[in-house]
Amino acid sequence: MGERPLKAAVVGCRMGALHAKAMAQLPDYEVVAVCDIDEERAQELVGELGTAKPFVSYAEMLREIKPDIVAIATPTAIHAEQTFAAVEAGVKGICCEKPMATNLADAKRMVNLCQERKIALIVNHQRRMGNEMVAARNLIEQGAIGEVQIIRAHCAGDFLTDGTHAVDSALWLLGDPKVEWVFGQVELPEKPRLRYGHLVENSAIAVFQTADGVRVEIFCGEARERHRAYQDYEVIGTKGRIWRTGDQPHPNLFIQDAKGGLWVAQVVNGVLRPAPSDEGLWRPVEVEPDDAIGAMKRSYELLAKMVREGVDKVDHPLAAEKALRGFEVVMAVYESARLRKRVWLPLKQDRFPLELMTKTEEVSG
């Protein structure tokens, strides 16, 4: 007889809807509760799931349901406190949306608490689980483009919310190496403004170097290159290049090497990506397309395995210890911008540097 499904609860029913639907499709889970301060949104998700109970109070949900697993998909500013509450409620596993916190002190405490209590904690940098990202990492490890020299990434949005994906993806593609130093610059808005409960900038540029000398360059917000798609990554090696042309559409992974190809880079529907041509340099990499929650389902399958077999026995690509390394880089970008110099890791600043850079408390939502 198989093990009973893990009782799962979701807080934050917007992004959390994907978490709930991913778990609902797996035999490892039974989604028993969802929570949102918008009662109508919670009720709507319950209607789609057909099994869960709606809540508007997170504390009440934890107290009444006593879930095994909690998915935290709320605004960034409350990720840490809701993780701490889940830990105190005695959960066995937590999936926290990215970014994991708004300062390094909270992020470290999240990881340390869960390690001490043997709670499985993952952070939803779901692109690590995507078929094209796995294929890209395999090509790099196989030496398909020679020795990697540079990874260059572009994304819209702010660096904490969206740049965190680019940082994490670059580290994933390189095999999660140690980062030596970080250099960053940000452009602040005329008046401080909030997004997901934290301060944000208009644009950010980041450069960091790994211990083996690979450079990563990230252009975020208004600094990203014109026509580049969201989460566009280019890996430049000594014998060729790999290009992930954003999240959609398929095909979105291409290679350029000595074999050549019949695709040429051009602007298609406002986005720079390869397209078929009589002559070109790129060719698509054969990868099975993912559906909207395929990567999340694979992530939750591994989370269940962590809970049942032990956090020390299962290597999850989204493990919080790995996410913390990327989060430290994100915080170091802001600290470098604040200090106007390179920052060497480990980072000593535990507070959110953007808050330290912003002298006024007047913010606009």
Side-chain angles (χ1 to χ4, degrees):
M1 182 179 293
E3 297 183 78
R4 71 165 180 83
L6 297 166
K7 291 195 301 181
V10 177
V11 57
C13 292
R14 183 169 291 169
M15 181 62 185
L18 291 178
H19 290 263
K21 291 172 184 177
M23 286 188 283
Q25 293 180 31
L26 298 171
D28 289 313
Y29 297 92
E30 179 185 4
V31 182
V32 296
V34 300
C35 178
D36 199 289
I37 57 173
D38 184 333
E39 185 175 5
E40 184 176 341
R41 184 179 295 142
Q43 291 280 6
E44 182 179 340
L45 182 54
V46 166
E48 292 184 52
L49 297 171
T51 58
K53 180 177 180 179
F55 290 84
V56 293
S57 167
Y58 180 57
E60 181 183 346
M61 180 183 75
L62 291 176
R63 187 168 53 250
E64 180 179 328
I65 298 299
K66 295 180 174 56
D68 298 310
I69 304 292
V70 171
I72 298 172
T74 48
T76 305
I78 56 176
H79 284 177
E81 66 180 77
Q82 291 187 328
T83 297
F84 301 147
V87 168
E88 294 306 318
V91 302
K92 299 175 181 176
I94 302 168
C95 177
C96 181
E97 262 300 332
K98 61 80 208 168
M100 59 195 301
T102 58
N103 62 72
L104 192 56
D106 281 345
K108 288 177 179 177
R109 187 180 172 216
M110 291 165 69
V111 172
N112 291 338
L113 270 177
C114 289
Q115 285 179 336
E116 290 169 5
R117 305 196 188 189
K118 302 298 183 183
I119 298 170
L121 173 63
I122 63 172
V123 179
N124 193 40
H125 288 109
Q126 76 278 6
R127 284 173 182 79
R128 285 181 174 234
M129 307 295 291
N131 288 338
E132 87 286 350
M133 288 291 285
V134 171
R137 176 163 162 163
N138 288 340
L139 285 170
I140 292 168
E141 291 177 344
Q142 293 162 10
I145 58 170
E147 184 179 342
V148 175
Q149 304 291 302
I150 297 173
I151 292 182
R152 187 171 293 128
H154 299 265
C155 65
D158 66 274
F159 203 77
L160 179 55
T161 304
D162 302 286
T164 186
H165 271 310
V167 170
D168 185 81
S169 293
L171 293 177
W172 160 255
L173 290 171
L174 295 173
D176 287 311
K178 179 181 178 181
V179 174
E180 284 192 333
W181 56 260
V182 177
F183 186 80
Q185 182 59 279
V186 301
E187 177 193 20
L188 297 176
E190 290 185 9
K191 293 183 178 181
R193 61 189 177 89
L194 295 175
R195 186 183 184 203
Y196 303 128
H198 61 83
L199 290 165
V200 296
E201 75 289 341
N202 287 338
S203 58
I205 297 174
V207 179
F208 61 88
Q209 181 167 294
T210 68
D212 52 4
V214 178
R215 292 284 183 95
V216 177
E217 303 170 353
I218 300 174
F219 302 88
C220 196
E222 295 176 9
R224 84 185 193 278
E225 187 178 318
R226 188 179 179 215
H227 298 308
R228 291 282 183 170
Y230 183 69
Q231 304 302 333
D232 174 302
Y233 312 140
E234 189 170 359
V235 187
I236 302 168
T238 54
K239 297 181 180 179
R241 294 187 288 175
I242 293 171
W243 186 8
R244 180 191 190 267
T245 57
D247 291 343
Q248 295 292 337
H250 185 81
N252 65 336
L253 185 67
F254 298 85
I255 189 169
Q256 179 188 111
D257 57 15
K259 296 179 183 178
L262 293 176
W263 292 57
V264 63
Q266 57 186 276
V267 177
V268 180
N269 296 324
V271 176
L272 182 66
R273 67 188 311 272
S277 173
D278 291 337
E279 57 182 32
L281 295 172
W282 297 94
R283 68 181 184 278
V285 177
E286 294 296 327
V287 179
E288 182 179 350
D290 268 331
D291 60 24
I293 58 175
M296 293 181 70
K297 287 168 62 177
R298 292 190 287 275
S299 174
Y300 273 111
E301 286 174 336
L302 273 181
L303 178 60
K305 193 173 181 181
M306 286 178 77
V307 168
R308 287 174 169 150
E309 297 182 12
V311 294
D312 299 327
K313 296 181 179 179
V314 178
D315 182 19
H316 199 306
L318 275 56
E321 294 83 358
K322 297 174 184 178
L324 181 59
R325 297 176 208 160
F327 186 79
E328 182 182 27
V329 171
V330 172
M331 291 292 106
V333 169
Y334 287 112
E335 182 68 350
S336 173
R338 186 179 79 88
L339 299 178
R340 300 184 182 182
K341 64 179 184 180
R342 270 193 304 173
V343 170
W344 293 78
L345 300 187
L347 180 64
K348 297 177 181 178
Q349 177 61 260
D350 273 351
R351 297 174 63 186
F352 185 20
L354 198 57
E355 291 182 350
L356 301 177
M357 294 167 66
T358 305
K359 297 179 180 179
T360 177
E361 294 183 356
E362 296 180 6
V363 296
S364 57

